[in-house]
Amino acid sequence: MSSVIRKISIGSDYKNDAMHYSLNQNVYGGHEISHILFDEEDHSYNIYIKKEDEVMPWKKFNSNMAISVEYDLEY
C-alpha cells in the first residue's frame, strides 16, 4: 500500500519542541513544501520544496530520529 505523507514532525517532544513540516507549507524564501517521501533504501524521510515549476530536495531526516508521521487519509 502506498501512502502519501501529509505532515512530519521531528523531535521527541511533539507539542513543545518538535519541528513540524506539512505539505503546501510556505518555507525558505517563498518556496512551498511539495512532497514528503520515505526512502526505503536508506530509511530516511525527505522533504522537497518547489518554487514556480522547480522542485528540489530541501531536508532529509534519518529514521534514528524521533519522527511522527501523519498520512493523507483521502479515500
Side-chain angles (χ1 to χ4, degrees):
M1 181 174 133
S2 176
S3 299
V4 175
I5 299 173
R6 190 187 80 74
K7 178 181 176 183
I8 187 170
S9 301
I10 312 298
S12 58
D13 187 350
Y14 183 86
K15 290 181 86 175
N16 297 310
D17 292 325
M19 294 296 297
H20 305 279
Y21 302 100
S22 299
L23 290 181
N24 304 318
Q25 178 182 340
N26 290 321
V27 295
Y28 190 65
H31 289 78
E32 181 179 282
I33 294 176
S34 62
H35 300 85
I36 304 172
L37 304 173
F38 180 70
D39 184 338
E40 292 186 24
E41 282 187 29
D42 67 358
H43 303 285
S44 66
Y45 291 89
N46 301 283
I47 299 176
Y48 293 84
I49 57 175
K50 70 178 177 179
K51 187 171 188 179
E52 297 174 7
D53 291 334
E54 184 179 7
V55 176
M56 66 189 86
W58 183 48
K59 291 185 179 275
K60 180 176 192 166
F61 300 99
N62 67 43
S63 60
N64 295 327
M65 303 177 77
I67 296 175
S68 175
V69 175
E70 184 176 311
Y71 295 98
D72 189 358
L73 299 178
E74 289 186 24
Y75 294 97

mmCIF file of all heavy atoms in Angstrom, residues 20-65:
data_model
loop_
_atom_site.group_PDB
_atom_site.id
_atom_site.type_symbol
_atom_site.label_atom_id
_atom_site.label_comp_id
_atom_site.label_asym_id
_atom_site.label_seq_id
_atom_site.Cartn_x
_atom_site.Cartn_y
_atom_site.Cartn_z
ATOM 1 N N HIS A 20 7.631 20.954 12.825
ATOM 2 C CA HIS A 20 6.527 20.376 12.052
ATOM 3 C C HIS A 20 6.605 20.868 10.610
ATOM 4 O O HIS A 20 6.758 22.063 10.358
ATOM 5 C CB HIS A 20 5.183 20.786 12.658
ATOM 6 C CG HIS A 20 5.064 20.446 14.104
ATOM 7 N ND1 HIS A 20 4.743 19.189 14.549
ATOM 8 C CD2 HIS A 20 5.258 21.201 15.212
ATOM 9 C CE1 HIS A 20 4.717 19.183 15.870
ATOM 10 N NE2 HIS A 20 5.035 20.394 16.297
ATOM 11 N N TYR A 21 6.493 19.933 9.661
ATOM 12 C CA TYR A 21 6.539 20.250 8.240
ATOM 13 C C TYR A 21 5.314 19.629 7.575
ATOM 14 O O TYR A 21 5.089 18.427 7.681
ATOM 15 C CB TYR A 21 7.804 19.681 7.608
ATOM 16 C CG TYR A 21 9.076 20.187 8.258
ATOM 17 C CD1 TYR A 21 9.749 19.413 9.188
ATOM 18 C CD2 TYR A 21 9.595 21.432 7.927
ATOM 19 C CE1 TYR A 21 10.915 19.871 9.786
ATOM 20 C CE2 TYR A 21 10.759 21.903 8.514
ATOM 21 C CZ TYR A 21 11.412 21.121 9.443
ATOM 22 O OH TYR A 21 12.562 21.582 10.031
ATOM 23 N N SER A 22 4.526 20.450 6.872
ATOM 24 C CA SER A 22 3.297 19.985 6.220
ATOM 25 C C SER A 22 3.326 20.313 4.738
ATOM 26 O O SER A 22 3.927 21.313 4.325
ATOM 27 C CB SER A 22 2.076 20.680 6.828
ATOM 28 O OG SER A 22 1.962 20.386 8.190
ATOM 29 N N LEU A 23 2.636 19.484 3.951
ATOM 30 C CA LEU A 23 2.501 19.778 2.524
ATOM 31 C C LEU A 23 1.908 21.167 2.332
ATOM 32 O O LEU A 23 1.040 21.592 3.101
ATOM 33 C CB LEU A 23 1.599 18.745 1.844
ATOM 34 C CG LEU A 23 2.158 17.347 1.690
ATOM 35 C CD1 LEU A 23 1.144 16.466 0.978
ATOM 36 C CD2 LEU A 23 3.475 17.344 0.942
ATOM 37 N N ASN A 24 2.374 21.852 1.319
ATOM 38 C CA ASN A 24 1.915 23.196 0.944
ATOM 39 C C ASN A 24 2.298 24.283 1.945
ATOM 40 O O ASN A 24 1.875 25.423 1.784
ATOM 41 C CB ASN A 24 0.407 23.220 0.685
ATOM 42 C CG ASN A 24 -0.004 22.219 -0.355
ATOM 43 O OD1 ASN A 24 0.666 22.067 -1.369
ATOM 44 N ND2 ASN A 24 -1.080 21.503 -0.107
ATOM 45 N N GLN A 25 3.096 23.972 2.949
ATOM 46 C CA GLN A 25 3.573 24.966 3.916
ATOM 47 C C GLN A 25 4.604 25.863 3.225
ATOM 48 O O GLN A 25 5.472 25.389 2.502
ATOM 49 C CB GLN A 25 4.206 24.254 5.112
ATOM 50 C CG GLN A 25 4.792 25.161 6.157
ATOM 51 C CD GLN A 25 5.433 24.352 7.286
ATOM 52 O OE1 GLN A 25 5.148 23.176 7.481
ATOM 53 N NE2 GLN A 25 6.299 24.999 8.038
ATOM 54 N N ASN A 26 4.511 27.162 3.451
ATOM 55 C CA ASN A 26 5.480 28.100 2.901
ATOM 56 C C ASN A 26 6.742 28.087 3.749
ATOM 57 O O ASN A 26 6.672 28.205 4.971
ATOM 58 C CB ASN A 26 4.903 29.513 2.853
ATOM 59 C CG ASN A 26 3.824 29.639 1.810
ATOM 60 O OD1 ASN A 26 3.936 29.076 0.727
ATOM 61 N ND2 ASN A 26 2.779 30.378 2.122
ATOM 62 N N VAL A 27 7.893 27.923 3.087
ATOM 63 C CA VAL A 27 9.175 27.838 3.780
ATOM 64 C C VAL A 27 10.254 28.503 2.926
ATOM 65 O O VAL A 27 10.073 28.727 1.734
ATOM 66 C CB VAL A 27 9.594 26.365 4.047
ATOM 67 C CG1 VAL A 27 8.636 25.696 5.008
ATOM 68 C CG2 VAL A 27 9.695 25.572 2.751
ATOM 69 N N TYR A 28 11.370 28.783 3.509
ATOM 70 C CA TYR A 28 12.610 29.141 2.829
ATOM 71 C C TYR A 28 12.438 30.101 1.652
ATOM 72 O O TYR A 28 12.580 29.730 0.500
ATOM 73 C CB TYR A 28 13.312 27.854 2.374
ATOM 74 C CG TYR A 28 14.718 28.062 1.860
ATOM 75 C CD1 TYR A 28 15.722 28.505 2.703
ATOM 76 C CD2 TYR A 28 15.027 27.810 0.538
ATOM 77 C CE1 TYR A 28 17.001 28.703 2.242
ATOM 78 C CE2 TYR A 28 16.305 28.006 0.061
ATOM 79 C CZ TYR A 28 17.293 28.454 0.915
ATOM 80 O OH TYR A 28 18.551 28.649 0.451
ATOM 81 N N GLY A 29 12.112 31.335 1.962
ATOM 82 C CA GLY A 29 12.113 32.380 0.947
ATOM 83 C C GLY A 29 11.161 32.191 -0.208
ATOM 84 O O GLY A 29 11.568 32.286 -1.364
ATOM 85 N N GLY A 30 9.913 31.891 0.062
ATOM 86 C CA GLY A 30 8.919 31.794 -0.996
ATOM 87 C C GLY A 30 8.725 30.416 -1.586
ATOM 88 O O GLY A 30 7.956 30.252 -2.522
ATOM 89 N N HIS A 31 9.405 29.418 -1.060
ATOM 90 C CA HIS A 31 9.208 28.042 -1.515
ATOM 91 C C HIS A 31 8.034 27.425 -0.759
ATOM 92 O O HIS A 31 7.606 27.928 0.274
ATOM 93 C CB HIS A 31 10.460 27.209 -1.266
ATOM 94 C CG HIS A 31 11.602 27.568 -2.153
ATOM 95 N ND1 HIS A 31 12.383 28.680 -1.944
ATOM 96 C CD2 HIS A 31 12.089 26.966 -3.249
ATOM 97 C CE1 HIS A 31 13.313 28.742 -2.883
ATOM 98 N NE2 HIS A 31 13.153 27.712 -3.693
ATOM 99 N N GLU A 32 7.550 26.305 -1.276
ATOM 100 C CA GLU A 32 6.434 25.589 -0.669
ATOM 101 C C GLU A 32 6.785 24.105 -0.623
ATOM 102 O O GLU A 32 7.356 23.571 -1.569
ATOM 103 C CB GLU A 32 5.203 25.814 -1.545
ATOM 104 C CG GLU A 32 3.955 25.161 -1.068
ATOM 105 C CD GLU A 32 2.793 25.474 -2.006
ATOM 106 O OE1 GLU A 32 2.244 26.574 -1.927
ATOM 107 O OE2 GLU A 32 2.452 24.596 -2.828
ATOM 108 N N ILE A 33 6.447 23.447 0.482
ATOM 109 C CA ILE A 33 6.714 22.008 0.585
ATOM 110 C C ILE A 33 5.791 21.284 -0.397
ATOM 111 O O ILE A 33 4.569 21.414 -0.324
ATOM 112 C CB ILE A 33 6.506 21.499 2.016
ATOM 113 C CG1 ILE A 33 7.553 22.133 2.943
ATOM 114 C CG2 ILE A 33 6.599 19.966 2.069
ATOM 115 C CD1 ILE A 33 7.401 21.775 4.413
ATOM 116 N N SER A 34 6.398 20.534 -1.317
ATOM 117 C CA SER A 34 5.614 19.860 -2.351
ATOM 118 C C SER A 34 5.466 18.369 -2.104
ATOM 119 O O SER A 34 4.464 17.781 -2.495
ATOM 120 C CB SER A 34 6.237 20.084 -3.728
ATOM 121 O OG SER A 34 7.532 19.526 -3.778
ATOM 122 N N HIS A 35 6.487 17.724 -1.500
ATOM 123 C CA HIS A 35 6.453 16.288 -1.261
ATOM 124 C C HIS A 35 7.173 15.966 0.050
ATOM 125 O O HIS A 35 8.175 16.598 0.373
ATOM 126 C CB HIS A 35 7.180 15.508 -2.363
ATOM 127 C CG HIS A 35 6.609 15.704 -3.714
ATOM 128 N ND1 HIS A 35 6.950 16.768 -4.525
ATOM 129 C CD2 HIS A 35 5.728 14.975 -4.415
ATOM 130 C CE1 HIS A 35 6.300 16.678 -5.652
ATOM 131 N NE2 HIS A 35 5.545 15.593 -5.619
ATOM 132 N N ILE A 36 6.665 14.989 0.753
ATOM 133 C CA ILE A 36 7.361 14.386 1.887
ATOM 134 C C ILE A 36 7.370 12.893 1.598
ATOM 135 O O ILE A 36 6.314 12.257 1.546
ATOM 136 C CB ILE A 36 6.664 14.682 3.229
ATOM 137 C CG1 ILE A 36 6.519 16.200 3.431
ATOM 138 C CG2 ILE A 36 7.436 14.045 4.379
ATOM 139 C CD1 ILE A 36 5.661 16.588 4.633
ATOM 140 N N LEU A 37 8.557 12.339 1.386
ATOM 141 C CA LEU A 37 8.672 10.958 0.936
ATOM 142 C C LEU A 37 9.561 10.144 1.861
ATOM 143 O O LEU A 37 10.531 10.659 2.414
ATOM 144 C CB LEU A 37 9.262 10.921 -0.478
ATOM 145 C CG LEU A 37 8.527 11.717 -1.543
ATOM 146 C CD1 LEU A 37 9.334 11.719 -2.829
ATOM 147 C CD2 LEU A 37 7.150 11.141 -1.771
ATOM 148 N N PHE A 38 9.246 8.854 1.982
ATOM 149 C CA PHE A 38 10.081 7.923 2.731
ATOM 150 C C PHE A 38 10.936 7.151 1.736
ATOM 151 O O PHE A 38 10.421 6.582 0.775
ATOM 152 C CB PHE A 38 9.231 6.956 3.549
ATOM 153 C CG PHE A 38 10.047 5.985 4.343
ATOM 154 C CD1 PHE A 38 10.790 6.403 5.422
ATOM 155 C CD2 PHE A 38 10.083 4.649 3.990
ATOM 156 C CE1 PHE A 38 11.557 5.507 6.155
ATOM 157 C CE2 PHE A 38 10.846 3.742 4.707
ATOM 158 C CZ PHE A 38 11.583 4.175 5.799
ATOM 159 N N ASP A 39 12.241 7.136 1.955
ATOM 160 C CA ASP A 39 13.175 6.406 1.098
ATOM 161 C C ASP A 39 13.482 5.069 1.766
ATOM 162 O O ASP A 39 14.129 5.028 2.814
ATOM 163 C CB ASP A 39 14.456 7.217 0.914
ATOM 164 C CG ASP A 39 15.431 6.574 -0.049
ATOM 165 O OD1 ASP A 39 15.358 5.339 -0.266
ATOM 166 O OD2 ASP A 39 16.284 7.299 -0.578
ATOM 167 N N GLU A 40 13.000 3.989 1.166
ATOM 168 C CA GLU A 40 13.172 2.662 1.758
ATOM 169 C C GLU A 40 14.616 2.170 1.701
ATOM 170 O O GLU A 40 15.004 1.333 2.513
ATOM 171 C CB GLU A 40 12.243 1.663 1.070
ATOM 172 C CG GLU A 40 10.783 1.948 1.376
ATOM 173 C CD GLU A 40 9.854 0.890 0.822
ATOM 174 O OE1 GLU A 40 10.301 -0.256 0.605
ATOM 175 O OE2 GLU A 40 8.674 1.213 0.623
ATOM 176 N N GLU A 41 15.413 2.685 0.774
ATOM 177 C CA GLU A 41 16.811 2.252 0.666
ATOM 178 C C GLU A 41 17.638 2.656 1.870
ATOM 179 O O GLU A 41 18.371 1.852 2.431
ATOM 180 C CB GLU A 41 17.453 2.815 -0.604
ATOM 181 C CG GLU A 41 17.064 2.081 -1.854
ATOM 182 C CD GLU A 41 17.852 2.556 -3.049
ATOM 183 O OE1 GLU A 41 19.006 3.005 -2.890
ATOM 184 O OE2 GLU A 41 17.306 2.472 -4.158
ATOM 185 N N ASP A 42 17.553 3.915 2.266
ATOM 186 C CA ASP A 42 18.354 4.360 3.417
ATOM 187 C C ASP A 42 17.502 4.725 4.635
ATOM 188 O O ASP A 42 17.987 5.311 5.588
ATOM 189 C CB ASP A 42 19.296 5.498 3.037
ATOM 190 C CG ASP A 42 18.579 6.782 2.667
ATOM 191 O OD1 ASP A 42 17.334 6.811 2.666
ATOM 192 O OD2 ASP A 42 19.274 7.766 2.377
ATOM 193 N N HIS A 43 16.234 4.350 4.586
ATOM 194 C CA HIS A 43 15.313 4.550 5.721
ATOM 195 C C HIS A 43 15.318 6.001 6.203
ATOM 196 O O HIS A 43 15.469 6.281 7.392
ATOM 197 C CB HIS A 43 15.643 3.596 6.871
ATOM 198 C CG HIS A 43 15.615 2.171 6.457
ATOM 199 N ND1 HIS A 43 14.446 1.492 6.231
ATOM 200 C CD2 HIS A 43 16.609 1.307 6.180
ATOM 201 C CE1 HIS A 43 14.725 0.259 5.851
ATOM 202 N NE2 HIS A 43 16.031 0.120 5.801
ATOM 203 N N SER A 44 15.113 6.911 5.265
ATOM 204 C CA SER A 44 15.090 8.327 5.602
ATOM 205 C C SER A 44 13.804 8.964 5.084
ATOM 206 O O SER A 44 13.139 8.432 4.195
ATOM 207 C CB SER A 44 16.298 9.049 4.998
ATOM 208 O OG SER A 44 16.225 9.037 3.591
ATOM 209 N N TYR A 45 13.471 10.092 5.687
ATOM 210 C CA TYR A 45 12.351 10.903 5.241
ATOM 211 C C TYR A 45 12.924 12.121 4.535
ATOM 212 O O TYR A 45 13.830 12.775 5.052
ATOM 213 C CB TYR A 45 11.478 11.321 6.424
ATOM 214 C CG TYR A 45 10.745 10.170 7.029
ATOM 215 C CD1 TYR A 45 11.314 9.413 8.045
ATOM 216 C CD2 TYR A 45 9.478 9.814 6.583
ATOM 217 C CE1 TYR A 45 10.643 8.329 8.600
ATOM 218 C CE2 TYR A 45 8.799 8.737 7.136
ATOM 219 C CZ TYR A 45 9.389 8.006 8.139
ATOM 220 O OH TYR A 45 8.727 6.938 8.680
ATOM 221 N N ASN A 46 12.404 12.436 3.353
ATOM 222 C CA ASN A 46 12.937 13.507 2.527
ATOM 223 C C ASN A 46 11.843 14.522 2.229
ATOM 224 O O ASN A 46 10.736 14.149 1.830
ATOM 225 C CB ASN A 46 13.489 12.939 1.222
ATOM 226 C CG ASN A 46 14.585 11.939 1.493
ATOM 227 O OD1 ASN A 46 15.698 12.319 1.794
ATOM 228 N ND2 ASN A 46 14.270 10.654 1.419
ATOM 229 N N ILE A 47 12.181 15.793 2.428
ATOM 230 C CA ILE A 47 11.242 16.878 2.161
ATOM 231 C C ILE A 47 11.718 17.626 0.921
ATOM 232 O O ILE A 47 12.880 18.033 0.837
ATOM 233 C CB ILE A 47 11.147 17.832 3.367
ATOM 234 C CG1 ILE A 47 10.638 17.068 4.601
ATOM 235 C CG2 ILE A 47 10.229 19.013 3.038
ATOM 236 C CD1 ILE A 47 10.605 17.897 5.861
ATOM 237 N N TYR A 48 10.803 17.799 -0.028
ATOM 238 C CA TYR A 48 11.091 18.512 -1.264
ATOM 239 C C TYR A 48 10.279 19.793 -1.295
ATOM 240 O O TYR A 48 9.125 19.827 -0.864
ATOM 241 C CB TYR A 48 10.728 17.647 -2.478
ATOM 242 C CG TYR A 48 11.606 16.451 -2.622
ATOM 243 C CD1 TYR A 48 11.343 15.277 -1.904
ATOM 244 C CD2 TYR A 48 12.715 16.472 -3.452
ATOM 245 C CE1 TYR A 48 12.169 14.172 -2.024
ATOM 246 C CE2 TYR A 48 13.549 15.371 -3.588
ATOM 247 C CZ TYR A 48 13.264 14.226 -2.862
ATOM 248 O OH TYR A 48 14.081 13.137 -2.980
ATOM 249 N N ILE A 49 10.902 20.850 -1.819
ATOM 250 C CA ILE A 49 10.229 22.142 -1.928
ATOM 251 C C ILE A 49 10.160 22.557 -3.391
ATOM 252 O O ILE A 49 10.933 22.093 -4.222
ATOM 253 C CB ILE A 49 10.934 23.225 -1.093
ATOM 254 C CG1 ILE A 49 12.395 23.371 -1.506
ATOM 255 C CG2 ILE A 49 10.798 22.922 0.392
ATOM 256 C CD1 ILE A 49 13.152 24.498 -0.808
ATOM 257 N N LYS A 50 9.211 23.447 -3.681
ATOM 258 C CA LYS A 50 9.084 23.952 -5.044
ATOM 259 C C LYS A 50 8.873 25.456 -5.023
ATOM 260 O O LYS A 50 8.365 26.028 -4.061
ATOM 261 C CB LYS A 50 7.939 23.281 -5.786
ATOM 262 C CG LYS A 50 6.558 23.654 -5.294
ATOM 263 C CD LYS A 50 5.477 22.991 -6.119
ATOM 264 C CE LYS A 50 4.109 23.340 -5.551
ATOM 265 N NZ LYS A 50 3.028 22.748 -6.312
ATOM 266 N N LYS A 51 9.312 26.078 -6.102
ATOM 267 C CA LYS A 51 9.060 27.490 -6.349
ATOM 268 C C LYS A 51 8.848 27.603 -7.844
ATOM 269 O O LYS A 51 9.713 27.196 -8.620
ATOM 270 C CB LYS A 51 10.230 28.348 -5.894
ATOM 271 C CG LYS A 51 9.958 29.830 -5.961
ATOM 272 C CD LYS A 51 11.066 30.609 -5.300
ATOM 273 C CE LYS A 51 10.689 32.071 -5.192
ATOM 274 N NZ LYS A 51 11.762 32.828 -4.531
ATOM 275 N N GLU A 52 7.681 28.092 -8.213
ATOM 276 C CA GLU A 52 7.243 28.103 -9.604
ATOM 277 C C GLU A 52 7.227 26.662 -10.104
ATOM 278 O O GLU A 52 6.530 25.841 -9.527
ATOM 279 C CB GLU A 52 8.114 29.045 -10.430
ATOM 280 C CG GLU A 52 8.005 30.484 -9.957
ATOM 281 C CD GLU A 52 8.960 31.425 -10.643
ATOM 282 O OE1 GLU A 52 9.644 31.028 -11.601
ATOM 283 O OE2 GLU A 52 9.018 32.590 -10.213
ATOM 284 N N ASP A 53 8.009 26.291 -11.107
ATOM 285 C CA ASP A 53 7.985 24.921 -11.631
ATOM 286 C C ASP A 53 9.180 24.087 -11.190
ATOM 287 O O ASP A 53 9.321 22.945 -11.624
ATOM 288 C CB ASP A 53 7.935 24.947 -13.164
ATOM 289 C CG ASP A 53 6.602 25.459 -13.671
ATOM 290 O OD1 ASP A 53 5.600 25.329 -12.948
ATOM 291 O OD2 ASP A 53 6.558 25.995 -14.795
ATOM 292 N N GLU A 54 10.042 24.634 -10.360
ATOM 293 C CA GLU A 54 11.254 23.918 -9.950
ATOM 294 C C GLU A 54 11.055 23.222 -8.606
ATOM 295 O O GLU A 54 10.672 23.836 -7.620
ATOM 296 C CB GLU A 54 12.428 24.895 -9.852
ATOM 297 C CG GLU A 54 13.731 24.229 -9.535
ATOM 298 C CD GLU A 54 14.883 25.207 -9.462
ATOM 299 O OE1 GLU A 54 14.664 26.416 -9.528
ATOM 300 O OE2 GLU A 54 16.024 24.722 -9.322
ATOM 301 N N VAL A 55 11.307 21.899 -8.569
ATOM 302 C CA VAL A 55 11.227 21.109 -7.339
ATOM 303 C C VAL A 55 12.638 20.672 -6.979
ATOM 304 O O VAL A 55 13.391 20.226 -7.840
ATOM 305 C CB VAL A 55 10.318 19.863 -7.535
ATOM 306 C CG1 VAL A 55 10.321 18.997 -6.283
ATOM 307 C CG2 VAL A 55 8.910 20.288 -7.881
ATOM 308 N N MET A 56 13.000 20.819 -5.685
ATOM 309 C CA MET A 56 14.344 20.447 -5.250
ATOM 310 C C MET A 56 14.311 19.845 -3.854
ATOM 311 O O MET A 56 13.397 20.122 -3.071
ATOM 312 C CB MET A 56 15.258 21.668 -5.280
ATOM 313 C CG MET A 56 14.875 22.741 -4.284
ATOM 314 S SD MET A 56 15.788 24.255 -4.502
ATOM 315 C CE MET A 56 14.773 25.046 -5.722
ATOM 316 N N PRO A 57 15.278 18.975 -3.537
ATOM 317 C CA PRO A 57 15.351 18.433 -2.182
ATOM 318 C C PRO A 57 15.713 19.540 -1.200
ATOM 319 O O PRO A 57 16.505 20.432 -1.519
ATOM 320 C CB PRO A 57 16.459 17.385 -2.269
ATOM 321 C CG PRO A 57 17.239 17.707 -3.483
ATOM 322 C CD PRO A 57 16.349 18.475 -4.399
ATOM 323 N N TRP A 58 15.134 19.492 0.000
ATOM 324 C CA TRP A 58 15.377 20.532 0.992
ATOM 325 C C TRP A 58 15.926 19.959 2.290
ATOM 326 O O TRP A 58 16.935 20.409 2.790
ATOM 327 C CB TRP A 58 14.095 21.318 1.240
ATOM 328 C CG TRP A 58 14.224 22.460 2.191
ATOM 329 C CD1 TRP A 58 15.193 23.427 2.186
ATOM 330 C CD2 TRP A 58 13.363 22.788 3.272
ATOM 331 N NE1 TRP A 58 14.982 24.328 3.203
ATOM 332 C CE2 TRP A 58 13.846 23.955 3.886
ATOM 333 C CE3 TRP A 58 12.207 22.197 3.783
ATOM 334 C CZ2 TRP A 58 13.230 24.548 4.981
ATOM 335 C CZ3 TRP A 58 11.590 22.799 4.868
ATOM 336 C CH2 TRP A 58 12.107 23.963 5.460
ATOM 337 N N LYS A 59 15.265 18.954 2.852
ATOM 338 C CA LYS A 59 15.699 18.378 4.124
ATOM 339 C C LYS A 59 15.604 16.860 4.064
ATOM 340 O O LYS A 59 14.761 16.307 3.367
ATOM 341 C CB LYS A 59 14.839 18.879 5.284
ATOM 342 C CG LYS A 59 15.052 20.355 5.597
ATOM 343 C CD LYS A 59 14.274 20.761 6.833
ATOM 344 C CE LYS A 59 14.500 22.206 7.154
ATOM 345 N NZ LYS A 59 15.687 22.452 7.949
ATOM 346 N N LYS A 60 16.482 16.224 4.849
ATOM 347 C CA LYS A 60 16.498 14.764 4.936
ATOM 348 C C LYS A 60 16.693 14.387 6.403
ATOM 349 O O LYS A 60 17.582 14.924 7.059
ATOM 350 C CB LYS A 60 17.638 14.215 4.078
ATOM 351 C CG LYS A 60 17.759 12.724 4.088
ATOM 352 C CD LYS A 60 18.855 12.298 3.126
ATOM 353 C CE LYS A 60 18.808 10.810 2.897
ATOM 354 N NZ LYS A 60 19.627 10.414 1.750
ATOM 355 N N PHE A 61 15.856 13.493 6.892
ATOM 356 C CA PHE A 61 15.933 13.044 8.281
ATOM 357 C C PHE A 61 16.048 11.528 8.294
ATOM 358 O O PHE A 61 15.259 10.845 7.649
ATOM 359 C CB PHE A 61 14.675 13.459 9.058
ATOM 360 C CG PHE A 61 14.458 14.946 9.084
ATOM 361 C CD1 PHE A 61 13.561 15.541 8.211
ATOM 362 C CD2 PHE A 61 15.164 15.740 9.963
ATOM 363 C CE1 PHE A 61 13.350 16.906 8.225
ATOM 364 C CE2 PHE A 61 14.966 17.112 9.992
ATOM 365 C CZ PHE A 61 14.057 17.700 9.117
ATOM 366 N N ASN A 62 17.016 10.996 9.044
ATOM 367 C CA ASN A 62 17.130 9.542 9.103
ATOM 368 C C ASN A 62 16.158 8.989 10.135
ATOM 369 O O ASN A 62 15.669 9.712 11.007
ATOM 370 C CB ASN A 62 18.573 9.089 9.360
ATOM 371 C CG ASN A 62 19.082 9.453 10.722
ATOM 372 O OD1 ASN A 62 18.378 9.321 11.727
ATOM 373 N ND2 ASN A 62 20.319 9.905 10.793
ATOM 374 N N SER A 63 15.879 7.722 10.048
ATOM 375 C CA SER A 63 14.855 7.115 10.899
ATOM 376 C C SER A 63 15.326 6.887 12.330
ATOM 377 O O SER A 63 14.550 6.408 13.157
ATOM 378 C CB SER A 63 14.377 5.800 10.285
ATOM 379 O OG SER A 63 15.456 4.904 10.161
ATOM 380 N N ASN A 64 16.567 7.244 12.655
ATOM 381 C CA ASN A 64 17.045 7.148 14.039
ATOM 382 C C ASN A 64 16.557 8.312 14.889
ATOM 383 O O ASN A 64 16.701 8.287 16.106
ATOM 384 C CB ASN A 64 18.575 7.096 14.076
ATOM 385 C CG ASN A 64 19.111 5.844 13.437
ATOM 386 O OD1 ASN A 64 18.486 4.792 13.495
ATOM 387 N ND2 ASN A 64 20.257 5.958 12.795
ATOM 388 N N MET A 65 15.989 9.323 14.268
ATOM 389 C CA MET A 65 15.476 10.491 14.982
ATOM 390 C C MET A 65 14.050 10.210 15.437
ATOM 391 O O MET A 65 13.382 9.328 14.909
ATOM 392 C CB MET A 65 15.510 11.709 14.067
ATOM 393 C CG MET A 65 16.889 12.014 13.524
ATOM 394 S SD MET A 65 16.892 13.397 12.399
ATOM 395 C CE MET A 65 16.796 14.731 13.574
#
